[in-house]
mmCIF file of all heavy atoms in Angstrom:
data_model
loop_
_atom_site.group_PDB
_atom_site.id
_atom_site.type_symbol
_atom_site.label_atom_id
_atom_site.label_comp_id
_atom_site.label_asym_id
_atom_site.label_seq_id
_atom_site.Cartn_x
_atom_site.Cartn_y
_atom_site.Cartn_z
ATOM 1 N N CYS A 416 109.057 70.937 88.996
ATOM 2 C CA CYS A 416 110.101 70.030 89.486
ATOM 3 C C CYS A 416 111.505 70.673 89.446
ATOM 4 O O CYS A 416 112.304 70.453 90.306
ATOM 5 C CB CYS A 416 110.069 68.674 88.800
ATOM 6 S SG CYS A 416 108.596 67.797 89.201
ATOM 7 N N GLU A 417 111.663 71.330 88.424
ATOM 8 C CA GLU A 417 112.895 72.029 88.313
ATOM 9 C C GLU A 417 113.141 73.117 89.401
ATOM 10 O O GLU A 417 114.191 73.224 89.962
ATOM 11 C CB GLU A 417 113.060 72.663 86.913
ATOM 12 C CG GLU A 417 114.432 73.118 86.528
ATOM 13 C CD GLU A 417 114.448 73.820 85.158
ATOM 14 O OE1 GLU A 417 113.804 73.208 84.224
ATOM 15 O OE2 GLU A 417 115.018 74.861 85.098
ATOM 16 N N GLU A 418 112.126 73.880 89.453
ATOM 17 C CA GLU A 418 112.261 75.057 90.445
ATOM 18 C C GLU A 418 112.465 74.566 91.887
ATOM 19 O O GLU A 418 113.068 75.086 92.734
ATOM 20 C CB GLU A 418 111.108 75.944 90.305
ATOM 21 C CG GLU A 418 111.043 76.858 89.047
ATOM 22 C CD GLU A 418 112.273 77.858 89.049
ATOM 23 O OE1 GLU A 418 112.700 78.289 90.178
ATOM 24 O OE2 GLU A 418 112.790 78.168 87.930
ATOM 25 N N LEU A 419 111.580 73.576 92.211
ATOM 26 C CA LEU A 419 111.503 73.139 93.613
ATOM 27 C C LEU A 419 112.468 71.965 93.931
ATOM 28 O O LEU A 419 112.666 71.468 95.074
ATOM 29 C CB LEU A 419 110.084 72.676 93.996
ATOM 30 C CG LEU A 419 109.069 73.861 93.906
ATOM 31 C CD1 LEU A 419 107.726 73.333 94.285
ATOM 32 C CD2 LEU A 419 109.461 75.028 94.709
ATOM 33 N N GLY A 420 113.110 71.463 92.828
ATOM 34 C CA GLY A 420 114.081 70.327 93.007
ATOM 35 C C GLY A 420 113.366 69.103 93.443
ATOM 36 O O GLY A 420 113.888 68.366 94.290
ATOM 37 N N LEU A 421 112.139 68.873 92.910
ATOM 38 C CA LEU A 421 111.417 67.619 93.267
ATOM 39 C C LEU A 421 111.882 66.531 92.311
ATOM 40 O O LEU A 421 111.918 66.699 91.122
ATOM 41 C CB LEU A 421 109.970 67.811 93.050
ATOM 42 C CG LEU A 421 109.269 69.005 93.744
ATOM 43 C CD1 LEU A 421 107.825 69.112 93.435
ATOM 44 C CD2 LEU A 421 109.447 68.818 95.215
ATOM 45 N N LYS A 422 112.298 65.362 92.920
ATOM 46 C CA LYS A 422 112.845 64.327 92.183
ATOM 47 C C LYS A 422 112.027 63.218 91.856
ATOM 48 O O LYS A 422 112.276 62.407 90.953
ATOM 49 C CB LYS A 422 114.274 63.898 92.757
ATOM 50 C CG LYS A 422 115.184 65.119 92.816
ATOM 51 C CD LYS A 422 116.682 64.699 92.566
ATOM 52 C CE LYS A 422 117.433 65.974 92.268
ATOM 53 N NZ LYS A 422 117.295 66.935 93.472
ATOM 54 N N SER A 423 110.993 63.007 92.721
ATOM 55 C CA SER A 423 110.239 61.665 92.506
ATOM 56 C C SER A 423 108.720 62.029 92.215
ATOM 57 O O SER A 423 108.332 63.173 92.401
ATOM 58 C CB SER A 423 110.285 60.937 93.840
ATOM 59 O OG SER A 423 109.657 61.680 94.858
ATOM 60 N N ASP A 424 108.075 61.032 91.712
ATOM 61 C CA ASP A 424 106.616 61.146 91.448
ATOM 62 C C ASP A 424 105.903 61.456 92.725
ATOM 63 O O ASP A 424 104.947 62.262 92.834
ATOM 64 C CB ASP A 424 106.012 59.826 90.930
ATOM 65 C CG ASP A 424 106.255 59.709 89.526
ATOM 66 O OD1 ASP A 424 106.788 60.628 88.860
ATOM 67 O OD2 ASP A 424 106.185 58.521 88.943
ATOM 68 N N ARG A 425 106.373 60.834 93.801
ATOM 69 C CA ARG A 425 105.692 61.104 95.089
ATOM 70 C C ARG A 425 105.756 62.530 95.555
ATOM 71 O O ARG A 425 104.912 63.129 96.031
ATOM 72 C CB ARG A 425 106.254 60.137 96.143
ATOM 73 C CG ARG A 425 105.217 59.543 97.043
ATOM 74 C CD ARG A 425 105.792 58.556 98.033
ATOM 75 N NE ARG A 425 105.673 59.132 99.398
ATOM 76 C CZ ARG A 425 106.709 59.128 100.157
ATOM 77 N NH1 ARG A 425 107.961 58.728 99.811
ATOM 78 N NH2 ARG A 425 106.644 59.748 101.431
ATOM 79 N N ALA A 426 106.955 63.030 95.375
ATOM 80 C CA ALA A 426 107.226 64.461 95.832
ATOM 81 C C ALA A 426 106.327 65.364 94.999
ATOM 82 O O ALA A 426 105.699 66.288 95.588
ATOM 83 C CB ALA A 426 108.649 64.820 95.625
ATOM 84 N N PHE A 427 106.217 65.056 93.690
ATOM 85 C CA PHE A 427 105.263 65.880 92.841
ATOM 86 C C PHE A 427 103.881 65.777 93.316
ATOM 87 O O PHE A 427 103.085 66.785 93.338
ATOM 88 C CB PHE A 427 105.514 65.592 91.427
ATOM 89 C CG PHE A 427 104.666 66.493 90.533
ATOM 90 C CD1 PHE A 427 105.052 67.884 90.353
ATOM 91 C CD2 PHE A 427 103.552 65.952 89.888
ATOM 92 C CE1 PHE A 427 104.315 68.657 89.501
ATOM 93 C CE2 PHE A 427 102.799 66.823 89.034
ATOM 94 C CZ PHE A 427 103.183 68.195 88.803
ATOM 95 N N LEU A 428 103.502 64.646 93.742
ATOM 96 C CA LEU A 428 102.067 64.364 94.052
ATOM 97 C C LEU A 428 101.802 65.145 95.411
ATOM 98 O O LEU A 428 100.745 65.813 95.421
ATOM 99 C CB LEU A 428 101.780 62.943 94.281
ATOM 100 C CG LEU A 428 100.452 62.563 94.540
ATOM 101 C CD1 LEU A 428 99.519 62.854 93.319
ATOM 102 C CD2 LEU A 428 100.286 60.996 95.064
ATOM 103 N N MET A 429 102.741 65.126 96.322
ATOM 104 C CA MET A 429 102.540 65.805 97.561
ATOM 105 C C MET A 429 102.446 67.321 97.225
ATOM 106 O O MET A 429 101.621 67.940 97.987
ATOM 107 C CB MET A 429 103.692 65.576 98.375
ATOM 108 C CG MET A 429 103.602 64.240 99.214
ATOM 109 S SD MET A 429 104.959 63.855 100.127
ATOM 110 C CE MET A 429 105.069 65.189 101.302
ATOM 111 N N TRP A 430 103.142 67.870 96.413
ATOM 112 C CA TRP A 430 103.097 69.234 96.006
ATOM 113 C C TRP A 430 101.752 69.560 95.502
ATOM 114 O O TRP A 430 101.130 70.482 95.840
ATOM 115 C CB TRP A 430 104.201 69.604 94.963
ATOM 116 C CG TRP A 430 103.799 70.537 93.931
ATOM 117 C CD1 TRP A 430 103.237 70.360 92.679
ATOM 118 C CD2 TRP A 430 103.834 71.997 94.068
ATOM 119 N NE1 TRP A 430 102.988 71.521 92.077
ATOM 120 C CE2 TRP A 430 103.381 72.563 92.879
ATOM 121 C CE3 TRP A 430 104.386 72.827 95.065
ATOM 122 C CZ2 TRP A 430 103.316 73.953 92.651
ATOM 123 C CZ3 TRP A 430 104.288 74.219 94.863
ATOM 124 C CH2 TRP A 430 103.753 74.835 93.631
ATOM 125 N N LYS A 431 101.287 68.621 94.667
ATOM 126 C CA LYS A 431 99.929 68.830 93.959
ATOM 127 C C LYS A 431 98.912 68.892 94.996
ATOM 128 O O LYS A 431 97.953 69.640 94.940
ATOM 129 C CB LYS A 431 99.704 67.826 92.969
ATOM 130 C CG LYS A 431 99.254 68.424 91.610
ATOM 131 C CD LYS A 431 99.263 67.565 90.393
ATOM 132 C CE LYS A 431 98.540 68.526 89.407
ATOM 133 N NZ LYS A 431 98.886 68.247 88.047
ATOM 134 N N ILE A 432 98.949 67.964 96.030
ATOM 135 C CA ILE A 432 97.985 67.859 97.022
ATOM 136 C C ILE A 432 97.911 69.045 97.904
ATOM 137 O O ILE A 432 96.914 69.734 98.187
ATOM 138 C CB ILE A 432 98.075 66.560 97.840
ATOM 139 C CG1 ILE A 432 97.731 65.362 96.894
ATOM 140 C CG2 ILE A 432 97.153 66.571 98.980
ATOM 141 C CD1 ILE A 432 97.968 64.002 97.543
#
Side-chain angles (χ1 to χ4, degrees):
C416 290
E417 191 184 312
E418 287 294 331
L419 299 182
L421 305 179
K422 300 221 167 51
S423 62
D424 282 348
R425 220 176 110 232
F427 182 71
L428 186 68
M429 278 172 61
W430 146 267
K431 227 167 173 154
I432 292 174

